[in-house]
Amino acid sequence: MFEAQSGGAVRAGGPRVVALTEQGAAAAPVPPQGPHEPQEPQVPAQGGRGTGPGVAVPPGADGVEGILRRQAMRESAARTYARSLPIVPVRARGLTIEGADGRRYLDCLSGAGTLALGHNHPVVLEAVRGVLDSGAPLHVLDLATPVKDAFTTELFACLPPELAADGRIQFCGPAGTDAVEAALKLVRTATGRSGLLAFTGAYHGMTAGALGASGGAPDVRVTRLPFPQDHRCPFGVGGTEGARLGARWTESLLDDPKGGVPTPAAMIVEPVQGEGGVLPAPDAWLRRMREITEARGIPLIADEVQTGVGRTGAFWGVDHAGVVPDVMVLSKAIGGSLPLAVIVYRSSLDLWAPGAHAGTFRGNQLAMAAGTATLAYVRKNRLAERAGALGERMLTALRGLAAAHPCMGDVRGRGLMIGVELVDPDTGAAAQALAAAVRQECLNRGLIVELGGRHSSVVRLLPPLTITDEQATAVLDRLADAIPAAAAAAVRLH
């Protein structure tokens, strides 16, 4: 029913745009998942249905349609993914999701980057079952437990050594946005300052403080700085020069006594802007941000919620630049698919009073067990290195595809965090409607993707780090089918 995670010949429908089996893949192969993993040899056919005794039966008298109808009636108008992905998942393994109607999909959303090992990886399931079977308490607030100690030990083993040697950890509420709130509260307490430096296009969460630091915030309490990008550079030059100008502007603004920006409590930055459109921060620029903040006594916060745990081809996004921040905000993959969020920071910032930040569910034992298993598996099996090599080959293949399709305005990313910006071929303007059509054409072909960027015109790929070469080829084949199909339909409409 579900595809194998480590091999098997696959031929997905549609034109094959790249063979992802060239030399270099063997340097960091996807390890076998273990004795409990079903070894199915093939990627599911485009939009195919399962066969055999494991096929799901539509639940209830009115089946899938009834579930979706009740969701629309009962859930809030704020629901998001359910609008563009009208499926009812009932079973999942690795890259594959199976819906209640028996259709199967390749999941390149991965819980918005949460599922580093894909769905229901055996090491994660074993860790969770171990806690459940042990009789250990599941809810302990912030008390010490063996499960928590093991998680903290493994996490510190994976951190940049300089931060691990002098680090403190705060367990937060279950979402990354709460960890962002904790980081802001921490630096404001430690510095006695309230201002914040953040970047255009940023996304840090949906609570008030995190939204205030994000690019779409309506107020001006946060100073906005230009984030470097090539395709839509704010200075019109892109490349190294665009990044240099952005850094120069930042430095000038902070040093200008009439600039209107007093020394802030911190700078917060994403090593790759994910929701902002998959924009990797240039390494030299990120190092310059570290130099600028360090020279002025400004703590640097790295938001690694989506970039962490191997996603970008290094264990942490900041590792590419060799930068050690003062605070790291961590969530998503560190919980092994379950809710968990923490901040890790230098001990010199640990000046808040007992109870200054808390949360009822900060002692999630199941998430800590799943997170320990995930962190260890990624580290021991070099999945970050694997993500970097495979991601680069996928980017190369997509850039080759873009040469034949003018609507593909830009292909960018780092590791297995990939974006394709769709544009109007005549004007270069962001093509939001076309991107939405491509997402639907992908879904029709059994591929789940989502959109990002300022105009929701960037098709994003966030597959699990355990994706095989064959599966990656199938993903690219389906996307290569979907883009011209959506573009052709758009032409017919006009």
Short mmCIF file of all heavy atoms in Angstrom, two decimals, residues 176-186 206-211 352 357:
data_model
loop_
_atom_site.label_atom_id
_atom_site.label_comp_id
_atom_site.label_asym_id
_atom_site.label_seq_id
_atom_site.Cartn_x
_atom_site.Cartn_y
_atom_site.Cartn_z
N GLY A 176 5.31 26.89 17.54
CA GLY A 176 6.47 27.74 17.31
C GLY A 176 6.22 29.19 17.64
O GLY A 176 7.11 29.90 18.10
N THR A 177 4.99 29.66 17.41
CA THR A 177 4.69 31.06 17.70
C THR A 177 4.86 31.38 19.18
O THR A 177 5.27 32.48 19.54
CB THR A 177 3.26 31.42 17.21
OG1 THR A 177 3.07 32.82 17.32
CG2 THR A 177 2.19 30.69 18.01
N ASP A 178 4.56 30.41 20.05
CA ASP A 178 4.76 30.65 21.48
C ASP A 178 6.24 30.74 21.81
O ASP A 178 6.65 31.52 22.69
CB ASP A 178 4.12 29.54 22.31
CG ASP A 178 4.15 29.86 23.80
OD1 ASP A 178 3.42 30.76 24.23
OD2 ASP A 178 4.94 29.21 24.52
N ALA A 179 7.06 29.96 21.11
CA ALA A 179 8.50 30.06 21.32
C ALA A 179 9.03 31.42 20.86
O ALA A 179 9.95 31.97 21.48
CB ALA A 179 9.22 28.92 20.60
N VAL A 180 8.47 31.95 19.78
CA VAL A 180 8.85 33.30 19.36
C VAL A 180 8.49 34.31 20.44
O VAL A 180 9.29 35.19 20.78
CB VAL A 180 8.17 33.66 18.02
CG1 VAL A 180 8.39 35.14 17.70
CG2 VAL A 180 8.72 32.80 16.90
N GLU A 181 7.28 34.18 21.00
CA GLU A 181 6.88 35.08 22.09
C GLU A 181 7.86 34.98 23.26
O GLU A 181 8.24 35.99 23.86
CB GLU A 181 5.46 34.73 22.56
CG GLU A 181 4.38 34.88 21.52
CD GLU A 181 3.98 36.31 21.26
OE1 GLU A 181 4.42 37.21 21.99
OE2 GLU A 181 3.22 36.54 20.31
N ALA A 182 8.26 33.77 23.59
CA ALA A 182 9.20 33.58 24.70
C ALA A 182 10.54 34.24 24.39
O ALA A 182 11.16 34.87 25.26
CB ALA A 182 9.40 32.09 24.96
N ALA A 183 11.01 34.11 23.15
CA ALA A 183 12.28 34.72 22.76
C ALA A 183 12.22 36.25 22.88
O ALA A 183 13.17 36.88 23.36
CB ALA A 183 12.64 34.31 21.34
N LEU A 184 11.11 36.83 22.43
CA LEU A 184 10.97 38.29 22.51
C LEU A 184 10.93 38.74 23.97
O LEU A 184 11.54 39.74 24.34
CB LEU A 184 9.72 38.74 21.77
CG LEU A 184 9.65 38.40 20.27
CD1 LEU A 184 8.37 38.97 19.65
CD2 LEU A 184 10.88 38.90 19.54
N LYS A 185 10.21 38.00 24.78
CA LYS A 185 10.11 38.33 26.20
C LYS A 185 11.49 38.21 26.86
O LYS A 185 11.88 39.05 27.68
CB LYS A 185 9.11 37.41 26.87
CG LYS A 185 8.75 37.80 28.30
CD LYS A 185 7.80 36.78 28.92
CE LYS A 185 6.48 36.70 28.20
NZ LYS A 185 5.55 35.74 28.86
N LEU A 186 12.23 37.17 26.50
CA LEU A 186 13.56 36.94 27.06
C LEU A 186 14.49 38.11 26.79
O LEU A 186 15.13 38.64 27.71
CB LEU A 186 14.14 35.65 26.47
CG LEU A 186 15.61 35.36 26.81
CD1 LEU A 186 15.71 34.80 28.23
CD2 LEU A 186 16.22 34.40 25.79
N MET A 206 1.47 33.31 14.56
CA MET A 206 0.15 33.94 14.49
C MET A 206 -0.31 34.57 15.79
O MET A 206 -1.44 35.05 15.87
CB MET A 206 -0.88 32.89 14.03
CG MET A 206 -0.66 32.39 12.61
SD MET A 206 -0.79 33.71 11.36
CE MET A 206 -2.54 34.05 11.43
N THR A 207 0.50 34.55 16.84
CA THR A 207 0.13 35.28 18.05
C THR A 207 0.58 36.74 17.90
O THR A 207 1.32 37.08 16.98
CB THR A 207 0.77 34.64 19.29
OG1 THR A 207 2.17 34.48 19.06
CG2 THR A 207 0.15 33.28 19.58
N ALA A 208 0.14 37.59 18.82
CA ALA A 208 0.29 39.03 18.63
C ALA A 208 1.74 39.47 18.45
O ALA A 208 2.07 40.20 17.52
CB ALA A 208 -0.34 39.77 19.81
N GLY A 209 2.62 39.04 19.35
CA GLY A 209 4.01 39.45 19.25
C GLY A 209 4.69 38.90 18.01
O GLY A 209 5.45 39.61 17.33
N ALA A 210 4.42 37.62 17.69
CA ALA A 210 5.02 37.00 16.52
C ALA A 210 4.51 37.65 15.24
O ALA A 210 5.27 37.87 14.29
CB ALA A 210 4.72 35.50 16.52
N LEU A 211 3.22 37.95 15.20
CA LEU A 211 2.67 38.64 14.03
C LEU A 211 3.29 40.02 13.88
O LEU A 211 3.55 40.48 12.76
CB LEU A 211 1.15 38.78 14.16
CG LEU A 211 0.30 37.60 13.67
CD1 LEU A 211 -1.16 37.86 13.98
CD2 LEU A 211 0.49 37.38 12.18
N TRP A 352 15.32 36.29 33.50
CA TRP A 352 13.93 36.45 33.89
C TRP A 352 13.61 35.71 35.19
O TRP A 352 14.31 34.78 35.59
CB TRP A 352 12.96 36.09 32.78
CG TRP A 352 13.19 34.81 32.01
CD1 TRP A 352 14.02 33.79 32.34
CD2 TRP A 352 12.57 34.45 30.78
NE1 TRP A 352 13.96 32.81 31.38
CE2 TRP A 352 13.08 33.19 30.42
CE3 TRP A 352 11.64 35.06 29.95
CZ2 TRP A 352 12.67 32.52 29.26
CZ3 TRP A 352 11.23 34.40 28.79
CH2 TRP A 352 11.75 33.16 28.46
N HIS A 357 7.81 32.98 32.01
CA HIS A 357 7.16 32.40 30.83
C HIS A 357 6.80 30.97 31.17
O HIS A 357 7.61 30.22 31.72
CB HIS A 357 8.08 32.43 29.60
CG HIS A 357 7.33 32.15 28.33
ND1 HIS A 357 6.58 33.12 27.69
CD2 HIS A 357 7.18 31.03 27.59
CE1 HIS A 357 6.01 32.60 26.61
NE2 HIS A 357 6.37 31.33 26.53
#
